[in-house]
Amino acid sequence: MLLSYIKSVGCCATFFTIIFLLLMESCTVGTGVWLAYWSSANVTTDQQRDIYIGIYGGIALGQGLFTFLLSICITLGSMVASRRLHHRLLVNIMHSPMTFFDTTPLGRIVNRFSKDLYIVDDTIPRCITDFLWCILDVIGNIVAISYATPLFLAVIPVLGLFYLYIQVSGATTGGLELNKIWVFSVESRHFELARVAKSVRDKRKPISCSR
């Protein structure tokens, strides 16, 4: 489903989204690195101070610009993906034989055009953006802290092992039961969508043959 959504967004929008996201995070890291370099420098004149302030302001301006461009790319990409997926869904429904509408409840068909498209319009772009943003933010913080305190690099493997230990051994019985319930609901939803999509494809075959 994720690959299908990325294909619907388009290669151009996906490429520029990743580029602007990387540039935005680079500017974010750059501000922290530049402040660390500025605090360790010996600034004695107003001219040196103005240079440091100007460079810091330029990095902050670039961060704001790339954030704005990133928001535009995400908005346009999600609109294009929603339009394409809605068109494909509408074409598949309109080319279905009457037996499909006799065996499928009308509420389930309407739900495909309402709730599922709402997820495509709102939830999926936000989840993908937050996921990429979180990964780059973690990497950026590690880079900034490592630049200011190189000794931090020796602590990263220990923290990683400690985090894995908590994830493996910290799961309680109640947590496992909640995970099972959540996984079961997600799988049930997935199988329901797959069954509807399969029925639509199967119903379309006689029409393509008759044509």
Side-chain angles (χ1 to χ4, degrees):
M1 184 178 180
L2 181 59
L3 294 178
S4 178
Y5 180 80
I6 294 176
K7 291 179 182 178
S8 300
V9 171
C11 298
C12 184
T14 303
F15 174 76
F16 282 108
T17 298
I18 295 176
I19 291 298
F20 289 140
L21 188 60
L22 290 173
L23 292 175
M24 182 200 66
E25 189 61 33
S26 299
C27 291
T28 303
V29 176
T31 54
V33 172
W34 185 252
L35 285 176
Y37 179 74
W38 187 359
S39 61
S40 62
N42 186 16
V43 180
T44 57
T45 63
D46 294 339
Q47 184 178 2
Q48 292 178 340
R49 181 201 62 191
D50 294 339
I51 292 176
Y52 281 103
I53 293 177
I55 294 176
Y56 181 79
I59 297 175
L61 182 63
Q63 180 183 359
L65 177 62
F66 293 134
T67 303
F68 175 71
L69 295 175
L70 174 64
S71 300
I72 292 178
C73 287
I74 293 174
T75 303
L76 294 178
S78 60
M79 290 173 60
V80 171
S82 177
R83 187 179 297 112
R84 290 177 178 175
L85 292 174
H86 180 271
H87 181 264
R88 294 175 189 173
L89 179 61
L90 182 61
V91 169
N92 289 336
I93 293 296
M94 296 302 294
H95 284 79
S96 300
M98 292 303 299
T99 55
F100 171 76
F101 297 98
D102 293 336
T103 58
T104 304
L106 183 60
R108 184 179 298 174
I109 298 175
V110 175
N111 194 31
R112 300 290 86 82
F113 288 94
S114 58
K115 183 178 180 181
D116 292 349
L117 286 180
Y118 171 77
I119 294 176
V120 171
D121 293 338
D122 181 75
T123 306
I124 294 180
R126 181 159 42 86
C127 290
I128 294 176
T129 305
D130 292 343
F131 174 73
L132 295 176
W133 208 320
C134 181
I135 291 179
L136 292 178
D137 192 33
V138 171
I139 296 175
N141 288 328
I142 292 176
V143 172
I145 296 174
S146 300
Y147 177 82
T149 309
L151 187 61
F152 178 72
L153 292 173
V155 185
I156 293 178
V158 179
L159 294 177
L161 293 175
F162 182 69
Y163 175 78
L164 292 176
Y165 174 76
I166 292 177
Q167 294 297 318
V168 173
S169 62
T172 60
T173 305
L176 291 176
E177 292 298 328
L178 290 176
N179 290 333
K180 290 180 181 179
I181 296 174
W182 181 81
V183 170
F184 178 75
S185 63
V186 172
E187 289 181 349
S188 301
R189 181 70 172 172
H190 177 268
F191 288 137
E192 180 184 355
L193 292 176
R195 183 172 61 83
V196 173
K198 183 177 183 302
S199 62
V200 171
R201 290 196 301 267
D202 293 340
K203 302 300 182 182
R204 290 184 59 188
K205 290 180 180 179
I207 297 178
S208 60
C209 293
S210 60
R211 290 181 181 179

